[in-house]
């Protein structure tokens, strides 16, 4: 006899599931860019030369249009570097999302048991002096002709995680 829907192993999506997923997206998508923007402005306020460069770039791009559009974003190379540098120093998701090991693994000299909870400290990676020169300094120019970007598997800079 065929199982009815309540006995089925498949997850039954309810309104509560949908509401939870939507809430998850709102929480993940509102706080993170807001935190990034606040830190970017704070860092620029502390570094007037960088602020001036960012302002000049935006003003020359906006021209008489009055406002920026999404198409302009790729032209704003300095602003993109400012955002990257801000995410390096102040990643909103400091420890990413928790992970659990699925088997016995070795990281450096450490043997890690299966089912161990792992937190990846991207805040510390972003300030690691073995990776970054003057790691505590806000220097957007460090990304000029630097292949490290946010979208690929560059483990030096993981504000969005590695997936
Ligand atoms: C500066 C902007 C953002 C940063 C730094 C950021 C960072 C992150 C990080 C670190 C994670 C965990 C990834 C992991 O552990 O592998 C994550 C997950 C997630 N983010 Fe973002 N995020 C940003 C913007 C957004 C926006 C705008 C949205 C949606 C509109 C969003 C939706 C999500 C969702 C749904 C997840 C969970 C994915 C999953 O369940 O695996 N994020 N984000």
């Amino acid at each position: 006899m065929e199982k009815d829907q309540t006995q089925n192993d498949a997850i039954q999506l309810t309104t509560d599931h949908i509401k939870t997923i939507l809430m998850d997206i709102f929480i993940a998508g509102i706080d993170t860019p807001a935190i990034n923007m606040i830190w970017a402005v704070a860092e620029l306020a502390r570094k007037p030369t960088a602020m001036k460069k960012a302002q000049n770039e935006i003003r020359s791009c906006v021209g008489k249009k009055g406002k920026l559009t999404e198409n302009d974003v790729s032209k704003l190379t300095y602003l993109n570097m400012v955002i990257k540098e801000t995410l390096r120093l102040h990643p909103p998701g400091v420890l990413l999302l928790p992970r659990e090991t699925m088997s016995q693994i070795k990281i450096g000299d450490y043997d890690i048991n299966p089912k161990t909870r792992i937190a990846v400290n991207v805040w510390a990676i972003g300030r690691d002096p073995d990776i970054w020169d003057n790691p505590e300094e806000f220097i957007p120019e460090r990304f000029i002709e630097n292949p490290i970007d946010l979208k690929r598997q560059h483990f030096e800079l993981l504000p969005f995680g590695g997936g």
Side-chain angles (χ1 to χ4, degrees), residues 3 19 59 73 95 97 115-116 121 135 138 142 145 154 157:
K3 284 179 178 176
K19 282 199 293 201
R59 284 177 186 146
V73 173
L95 299 176
L97 295 178
K115 298 196 81 59
T116 303
N121 190 342
F138 181 79
R142 71 172 79 241
E145 286 178 24
H154 291 128
L157 189 65

Side-chain angles (χ1 to χ4, degrees), residues 93-138:
V94 172
L95 299 176
L96 299 182
L97 295 178
R99 301 292 197 284
E100 192 180 88
T101 52
M102 295 165 73
S103 56
Q104 188 77 28
I105 55 165
K106 207 171 171 77
I107 299 180
D109 289 335
Y110 296 92
D111 292 308
I112 317 281
N113 289 331
K115 298 196 81 59
T116 303
R117 181 176 270 222
I118 305 265
V120 179
N121 190 342
V122 290
W123 183 91
I125 295 171
R127 291 168 185 247
D128 184 345
D130 290 340
I131 303 174
W132 306 98
D133 293 333
N134 296 324
E136 302 292 325
E137 280 278 308
F138 181 79

Side-chain angles (χ1 to χ4, degrees), residues 44 49-50 53-54 57 76-83 140-141:
L44 288 173
T49 49
K53 275 193 193 177
E57 184 184 65
L76 300 168
T77 44
Y78 192 71
L79 185 65
N80 275 288
M81 291 191 285
V82 165
I83 289 166
E141 290 78 1

